[in-house]
Amino acid sequence: MIGVGKMKQYTNVLDRPLSKGKQEVSLSAFAFLFSELVQYNQTQVDNIAELERRLEDAGYAVGARVLELLCHREKGNRRETRLLGILSFVHSTVWKVLFGKVADSLEKGTEHEDEYMISEKELLVNRFISIPKDMGTFNCGAFVAGIVRGVLDNAGFPAVVTAHFVPVEGQQRPRTTILIKFAEEVLRREARLG
Amino acid sequence: MPPVAPRSGDAIFASVERVNAELFTLTYGAIVRQLLTDLEEVEEVNKQLDQMGYNIGIRLIDEFLAKSNVSRCVDFKETAEVIAKVGFKMFLGVTATVTNWDAEGTTCSLVLEDNPLVDFVELPDTCQGLYYCNVLSGVIRGALEMVSSYLNGRLGLSVDNLVSMKTEVTWIRDMLRGDDAFEMQVKLVKQVPEEYPYKDDE
């Protein structure tokens, strides 16, 4: 019969049911892909700062989408409007979905009121990465910093987010700390909300 | 020797470390978006995605052989089945079906109904020429180029037996373009004798 036989009709992405987010791929598939992302970006830059900026940009695009997806799926179309709420959303909900676990720690900076830190002993993206000596303080966690910035910025909490290696006593590999420095307006709003 | 029936990759996939497919999907999306911004021409993006896949393929094959215990494929037919059933499952958690063989047994199709690369994806009008999943065809091309040389080498055969499978992989169907499945045509172009890297008198 003419016109019969197409088994699956293509439907618009918005008309399809949202996945539950339980599907998995192998960690190596992700690691191979991430390595290509880093290597490609290395060919596009002259220095480490630029490379980190590009990885952060890539991560930002992921973060923006993760926020939208998770607010819809996990939070019943609501999003956090308070500083501590959004931070714990990143530290718990986002981390759990993306990396399979809650982040190791979330701390407030001791020296500056506007700084918060999310630390991870072994950040997933850094699992198979060792940084050559000549690349100094470069940290592929810039990608994750970008994800965090993407989530925060799109939720109305603009911030500067950077990734740093922090040596841990008795450990061979340093942990990665994602440093979040909120924009002034965010703190002013928080103060007003009391 | 009768061909060993290709097994499934379920057990291997269950035993390897895994990550949420959404992280993978969104990261791939970020790569494609970056390439579109940098390279502007969709054709160039297709090429770069294929190159990235090729780079992955030539590295991924080692892990595949180490974890799958596939020792040797007797012919291209079995190779294709192993890629579809074991390879795809092991890395992406989905299986492909092999179909549309030509009479010579050198061309076939790998059909994917589930494809973790394309969740949330919709191609805008400006990207109609984009082969969004081109990284996959690159992976297969790269992996096959390494596979037989590695296998034969491991079996300790003489240098004459070393061959490398050169393939051409093209997209026949693409759900992002409105088709009902993803279909890659894999064509075995030639089996090239591997060149021994040193001359005898060196």
Side-chain angles (χ1 to χ4, degrees):
Chain A
M1 270 161 70
I2 298 164
V4 178
K6 243 195 170 181
M7 308 208 327
K8 256 195 201 165
Q9 192 61 48
Y10 179 80
T11 43
N12 184 290
V13 69
L14 295 175
D15 293 335
R16 269 173 277 158
L18 191 63
S19 83
K20 296 218 168 52
K22 300 280 177 240
Q23 243 195 325
E24 292 182 311
V25 299
S26 78
L27 172 61
S28 9
F30 174 76
F32 279 126
L33 191 68
F34 186 70
S35 140
E36 283 305 312
L37 170 71
V38 177
Q39 288 182 63
Y40 165 73
N41 277 298
Q42 267 182 294
T43 66
Q44 302 290 306
V45 299
D46 303 323
N47 57 57
I48 302 300
E50 182 74 355
L51 178 57
E52 285 189 319
R53 194 192 59 73
R54 285 189 57 106
L55 285 180
E56 199 194 312
D57 281 352
Y60 183 92
V62 174
R65 286 158 180 81
V66 164
L67 175 73
E68 195 182 339
L69 175 68
L70 297 189
C71 281
H72 184 60
R73 192 170 60 200
E74 321 271 331
K75 311 278 285 179
N77 277 330
R78 300 174 77 84
R79 70 166 168 78
E80 301 291 340
T81 53
R82 298 302 300 266
L83 191 79
L84 288 180
I86 196 76
L87 279 170
S88 96
F89 172 75
V90 171
H91 161 268
S92 314
T93 314
V94 171
W95 233 259
K96 193 122 206 266
V97 168
L98 292 184
F99 307 123
K101 65 187 276 298
V102 170
D104 289 339
S105 74
L106 167 64
E107 295 161 283
K108 190 171 186 342
T110 44
E111 288 163 34
H112 302 279
E113 275 298 296
D114 56 352
E115 288 185 353
Y116 290 82
M117 294 167 296
I118 293 176
S119 297
E120 188 74 74
K121 215 167 85 193
E122 185 77 272
L123 197 63
L124 187 94
V125 300
N126 279 337
R127 274 283 288 283
F128 303 109
I129 305 242
S130 46
I131 305 292
K133 282 228 159 49
D134 61 344
M135 290 183 74
T137 61
F138 171 68
N139 189 330
C140 287
F143 179 71
V144 179
I147 295 181
V148 172
R149 187 167 71 86
V151 171
L152 292 175
D153 198 25
N154 286 277
F157 293 84
V160 176
V161 186
T162 44
H164 308 273
F165 281 123
V166 179
V168 185
E169 229 175 287
Q171 295 279 335
Q172 216 171 14
R173 282 172 72 86
R175 69 188 160 111
T176 296
T177 292
I178 309 285
L179 181 67
I180 303 164
K181 192 176 174 60
F182 284 105
E184 230 178 287
E185 62 193 83
V186 175
L187 292 169
R188 272 207 306 271
R189 185 181 62 206
E190 265 305 294
R192 230 183 10 249
L193 290 169
Chain B
M1 192 175 73
V4 184
R7 301 153 314 138
S8 106
D10 292 3
I12 309 167
F13 186 64
S15 69
V16 296
E17 271 193 85
R18 298 177 301 274
V19 293
N20 181 347
E22 282 167 352
L23 174 68
F24 180 76
T25 308
L26 292 172
T27 302
Y28 185 65
I31 292 176
V32 176
R33 213 165 323 107
Q34 225 174 27
L35 293 180
L36 282 166
T37 316
D38 291 346
L39 304 172
E40 291 167 12
E41 295 293 323
V42 168
E43 212 24 68
E44 290 301 310
V45 176
N46 288 338
K47 262 189 228 158
Q48 181 64 37
L49 287 174
D50 179 72
Q51 180 62 45
M52 286 176 158
Y54 180 82
N55 298 344
I56 293 174
I58 58 179
R59 294 169 61 201
L60 164 148
I61 190 66
D62 283 339
E63 184 177 334
F64 173 77
L65 294 170
K67 290 192 175 153
S68 69
N69 283 323
V70 170
S71 54
R72 186 177 191 188
C73 294
V74 292
D75 56 12
F76 189 54
K77 274 202 161 148
E78 196 189 338
T79 308
E81 284 292 336
V82 168
I83 293 173
K85 298 285 173 318
V86 187
F88 270 96
K89 183 76 197 183
M90 183 171 149
F91 290 100
L92 296 181
V94 297
T95 42
T97 30
V98 187
T99 141
N100 295 344
W101 280 103
D102 68 347
E104 292 83 41
T106 54
T107 303
C108 67
S109 281
L110 295 175
V111 177
L112 275 177
E113 290 194 21
D114 273 327
N115 180 350
L117 287 178
V118 300
D119 275 339
F120 318 122
V121 178
E122 190 107 6
L123 289 189
D125 289 343
T126 48
C127 296
Q128 290 305 316
L130 180 67
Y131 288 103
Y132 189 87
C133 302
N134 231 18
V135 74
L136 289 183
S137 40
V139 169
I140 289 174
R141 190 168 63 83
L144 284 178
E145 212 170 290
M146 302 303 286
V147 68
S148 43
S149 58
Y150 186 88
L151 284 180
N152 285 335
R154 202 165 62 160
L155 292 171
L157 300 178
S158 73
V159 175
D160 303 316
N161 286 329
L162 294 181
V163 289
S164 160
M165 282 190 224
K166 291 258 189 253
T167 50
E168 278 171 15
V169 186
T170 40
W171 289 96
I172 307 284
R173 283 185 289 166
D174 185 333
M175 283 167 94
L176 294 177
R177 297 172 169 212
D179 298 322
D180 53 352
F182 288 93
E183 177 175 350
M184 272 180 277
Q185 188 180 66
V186 186
K187 183 175 177 204
L188 180 64
V189 186
K190 55 180 175 179
Q191 303 207 7
V192 196
E194 194 84 339
E195 279 187 30
Y196 195 58
Y198 310 100
K199 290 207 178 85
D200 283 344
D201 51 5
E202 269 176 2

